[in-house]
Amino acid sequence: MTAVHITHPDLPKAKPAVTTEAAFEKVWKGRGWKTLSADEAIAVERDLTEPAAAVAAPAPATDATTPATKASKTTGGQA
Protein backbone atom coordinates (compact mmCIF):
# COMPACT_ATOMS: atom_id res chain seq x y z
CA MET A 1 0.00 0.00 0.00
CA THR A 2 1.60 3.24 -1.18
CA ALA A 3 0.94 6.57 0.54
CA VAL A 4 0.60 9.73 -1.53
CA HIS A 5 0.44 13.42 -0.65
CA ILE A 6 -2.58 15.19 -2.12
CA THR A 7 -3.81 18.76 -2.46
CA HIS A 8 -6.71 20.51 -4.14
CA PRO A 9 -5.82 23.44 -6.41
CA ASP A 10 -9.11 25.22 -5.66
CA LEU A 11 -8.54 25.10 -1.90
CA PRO A 12 -5.40 27.24 -1.51
CA LYS A 13 -5.53 27.36 2.30
CA ALA A 14 -6.02 23.60 2.75
CA LYS A 15 -2.99 21.73 4.01
CA PRO A 16 -1.84 18.77 1.92
CA ALA A 17 -3.22 15.43 3.07
CA VAL A 18 -1.83 11.92 2.98
CA THR A 19 -3.87 9.02 1.68
CA THR A 20 -3.30 5.66 0.03
CA GLU A 21 -2.80 5.57 -3.69
CA ALA A 22 -5.86 3.31 -4.04
CA ALA A 23 -8.08 5.73 -2.10
CA PHE A 24 -6.75 8.62 -4.18
CA GLU A 25 -7.69 6.83 -7.41
CA LYS A 26 -11.15 5.81 -6.11
CA VAL A 27 -12.19 8.92 -4.18
CA TRP A 28 -10.00 12.01 -4.38
CA LYS A 29 -8.89 12.09 -8.02
CA GLY A 30 -12.46 12.45 -9.30
CA ARG A 31 -13.04 15.36 -6.90
CA GLY A 32 -10.22 17.45 -8.34
CA TRP A 33 -7.42 16.56 -5.94
CA LYS A 34 -3.86 16.25 -7.28
CA THR A 35 -0.84 14.32 -6.04
CA LEU A 36 2.31 16.02 -4.75
CA SER A 37 5.82 14.85 -4.07
CA ALA A 38 6.88 14.85 -0.43
CA ASP A 39 9.03 17.95 -1.07
CA GLU A 40 6.11 19.78 -2.70
CA ALA A 41 3.85 18.94 0.24
CA ILE A 42 6.44 20.30 2.69
CA ALA A 43 6.78 23.51 0.65
CA VAL A 44 3.00 24.01 0.55
CA GLU A 45 2.70 23.53 4.32
CA ARG A 46 5.60 25.91 4.91
CA ASP A 47 3.94 28.56 2.73
CA LEU A 48 0.69 28.13 4.67
CA THR A 49 2.28 28.41 8.12
CA GLU A 50 4.99 31.06 7.64
CA PRO A 51 2.63 34.01 7.06
CA ALA A 52 0.58 32.92 10.08
CA ALA A 53 3.72 32.72 12.21
CA ALA A 54 4.69 36.27 11.23
CA VAL A 55 1.25 37.56 12.21
CA ALA A 56 1.24 35.60 15.46
CA ALA A 57 4.60 37.02 16.60
CA PRO A 58 4.25 38.93 19.87
CA ALA A 59 4.37 42.71 19.72
CA PRO A 60 7.51 44.29 21.17
CA ALA A 61 7.24 45.22 24.83
CA THR A 62 6.71 48.92 25.48
CA ASP A 63 8.90 50.89 27.80
CA ALA A 64 7.26 51.81 31.11
CA THR A 65 8.39 55.42 30.65
CA THR A 66 6.34 56.14 27.53
CA PRO A 67 4.51 59.51 27.48
CA ALA A 68 1.13 57.79 27.95
CA THR A 69 2.32 56.27 31.22
CA LYS A 70 3.79 59.56 32.45
CA ALA A 71 0.58 61.44 31.60
CA SER A 72 -1.51 59.10 33.72
CA LYS A 73 0.82 59.67 36.66
CA THR A 74 0.57 63.46 36.42
CA THR A 75 -3.24 63.37 36.66
CA GLY A 76 -3.08 61.69 40.03
CA GLY A 77 -4.21 58.36 38.57
CA GLN A 78 -7.69 59.64 37.72
CA ALA A 79 -9.09 58.59 34.41
Side-chain angles (χ1 to χ4, degrees), residues 2 4 11 14 19-20 24 31-32 34 39 43 47 49 60 66 68 71 73-74 76 78-79:
T2 304
V4 293
L11 302 172
T19 189
T20 64
F24 173 75
R31 296 181 181 182
K34 307 289 181 195
D39 291 336
D47 290 344
T49 56
T66 59
K73 288 180 182 178
T74 60
Q78 298 173 353

Side-chain angles (χ1 to χ4, degrees), residues 3-30:
V4 293
H5 299 274
I6 62 172
T7 189
H8 196 294
D10 294 332
L11 302 172
K13 294 189 179 205
K15 289 185 178 183
V18 177
T19 189
T20 64
E21 191 170 8
F24 173 75
E25 292 295 329
K26 290 179 182 177
V27 179
W28 303 109
K29 187 175 184 179

Side-chain angles (χ1 to χ4, degrees), residues 24-66:
F24 173 75
E25 292 295 329
K26 290 179 182 177
V27 179
W28 303 109
K29 187 175 184 179
R31 296 181 181 182
W33 289 75
K34 307 289 181 195
T35 57
L36 299 169
S37 70
D39 291 336
E40 289 171 324
I42 290 168
V44 169
E45 285 210 35
R46 185 177 300 130
D47 290 344
L48 290 172
T49 56
E50 281 183 358
V55 171
T62 57
D63 186 5
T65 59
T66 59

